[in-house]
Amino acid sequence: MRSYVMRRLPSALLVLLAASFLIFTILRLVPGDPATTLAGPDADAATVAAIRDRLGLDQPLLSQYAHWMGSLLTGDLGPSYAIGGQTADLIRDGFGATAELTLGALLFVVILGAAFGVLGATSRSRWIRTAVRVTTTAALAVPPFVSGVLLVLLFAVILGVLPPGGRVAFLAAPDLAVQYLVLPALCLALPSAAVLGRYLKDGIERGLAEDYIRTATAAGVAPRRLLWRHTLPNALPPTVTLLGMQVGHLLGGAVLVEAIFAWPGLGRLAEQGLQRRDYPVVQDLLLLLVAVFVLVQLLTDLVYAWLDPRIRWE
């Protein structure tokens, strides 16, 4: 397993390096100038030039990129251009809220995806299979900004059982924190749960069609045993890979969901940074999200190798 990890690390580091260069370049192509934004609409050219010099924006792009890489390696991310405060402090404050939302959504993805997959593939009731198919189709077709509003109307306005938005720190009041987390996490999880459920359903159906399953069924082996001991374990490795890919969708979708439910995470910070052309905040934030996604993919590969020993042997 150690040699497998060592073979995967170079490609992960290469992805991070390429992502850092792309992020840095694309941000500089976005129209707008941080110095002009900070100086204000009535500032003269000398004031704008002085701000550009103070921020280092008058340096060549390669020099700015090298300075950014050096700050990342030393852990000193520097100050924010426009939002105020240290970039590391801003990201740290929002990362906990986004991680909480993403983990909550991931839990919903696993639970709902497993339920959709197993019920859709094994239920003998045509009504249950139809209900699963309709639910997954609706979860994929309805965008989060619509499903979020519908969830708020149902559970916060009509039923009045959950708060419509905001956040309470989990360590401060766990019971209240869970209530505030349910709606945004469910809204974020629905599309990924539908994808996972459909993929797992197809995997279980393929497994149930194998010859050895048919032979075991004819020999009188209980269907429940065949499902949990043979069919489902064989369908898990590719499903785990898909689940790891969905983490990237959860991180990307968290930006929109945080805006809908007034969740104070990295999504709001990214929006503020983009609006104000705050390069340090945006580029560090985007690279952090890429690093988290790469780490999740590496962990996914390790789980896949643990579930399927043939990967380790190769």
Side-chain angles (χ1 to χ4, degrees):
M1 184 66 74
R2 181 179 300 176
S3 60
Y4 178 76
V5 174
M6 297 306 296
R7 290 198 306 269
R8 295 286 294 138
L9 280 179
S11 61
L13 295 176
L14 184 61
V15 169
L16 286 177
L17 182 62
S20 68
F21 185 77
L22 288 175
I23 290 170
F24 180 87
T25 305
I26 292 175
L27 282 179
R28 268 64 184 179
L29 295 177
V30 175
D33 183 9
T36 303
T37 303
L38 289 175
D42 299 329
D44 55 15
T47 303
V48 175
I51 294 177
R52 289 180 59 84
D53 179 69
R54 179 169 59 86
L55 299 179
L57 297 176
D58 56 346
Q59 300 295 321
L61 290 181
L62 289 180
S63 298
Q64 295 183 42
Y65 177 75
H67 181 268
W68 179 40
M69 288 292 98
S71 66
L72 288 177
L73 293 177
T74 58
D76 183 14
L77 303 184
S80 163
Y81 285 174
I83 300 176
Q86 293 295 315
T87 303
D89 295 336
L90 294 174
I91 294 178
R92 182 176 61 250
D93 293 341
F95 182 77
T98 298
E100 181 181 316
L101 175 60
T102 304
L103 290 176
L106 187 61
L107 180 61
F108 273 118
V109 169
V110 173
I111 295 175
L112 295 177
F116 291 154
V118 173
L119 289 177
T122 63
S123 178
R124 297 181 180 180
S125 172
R126 181 170 61 89
W127 295 104
I128 293 180
R129 295 196 304 271
T130 302
V132 169
R133 184 167 61 253
V134 171
T135 302
T136 54
T137 301
L140 288 171
V142 178
F145 61 85
V146 175
S147 61
V149 174
L150 294 177
L151 288 174
V152 170
L153 287 176
L154 177 60
F155 292 100
V157 178
I158 299 176
L159 299 179
V161 295
L162 292 173
R167 175 179 180 259
V168 173
F170 190 83
L171 296 179
D175 54 339
L176 288 177
V178 171
Q179 296 179 34
Y180 279 89
L181 177 63
V182 168
L183 287 185
L186 181 60
C187 175
L188 181 59
L190 283 176
S192 295
V195 173
L196 187 71
R198 288 191 169 189
Y199 198 85
L200 182 60
K201 170 182 173 294
D202 293 340
I204 293 175
E205 288 178 343
R206 287 194 300 268
L208 293 175
E210 294 289 342
D211 292 337
Y212 74 94
I213 295 293
R214 293 177 178 177
T215 302
T217 302
V221 180
R224 186 183 300 272
R225 179 181 178 85
L226 290 176
L227 173 64
W228 296 104
R229 294 293 299 274
H230 300 282
T231 306
L232 191 58
N234 289 332
L236 278 181
T239 305
V240 168
T241 301
L242 179 67
L243 180 62
M245 296 174 61
Q246 292 302 311
V247 173
H249 293 281
L250 295 178
L251 289 173
V255 176
L256 178 59
V257 172
E258 287 178 3
I260 296 173
F261 291 93
W263 191 268
L266 295 180
R268 181 180 299 180
L269 180 62
E271 180 185 1
Q272 294 176 352
L274 287 172
Q275 289 178 348
R276 303 181 185 183
R277 305 296 187 271
D278 201 327
Y279 288 160
V281 171
V282 177
Q283 62 193 16
D284 291 339
L285 177 57
L286 292 179
L287 188 59
L288 173 63
L289 295 179
V290 173
V292 171
F293 182 73
V294 170
L295 178 61
V296 170
Q297 292 302 306
L298 181 60
L299 294 177
T300 301
D301 290 341
L302 294 179
V303 174
Y304 195 118
W306 176 68
L307 292 173
D308 190 349
R310 294 174 297 180
I311 303 298
R312 296 197 300 270
W313 297 339
E314 293 175 0

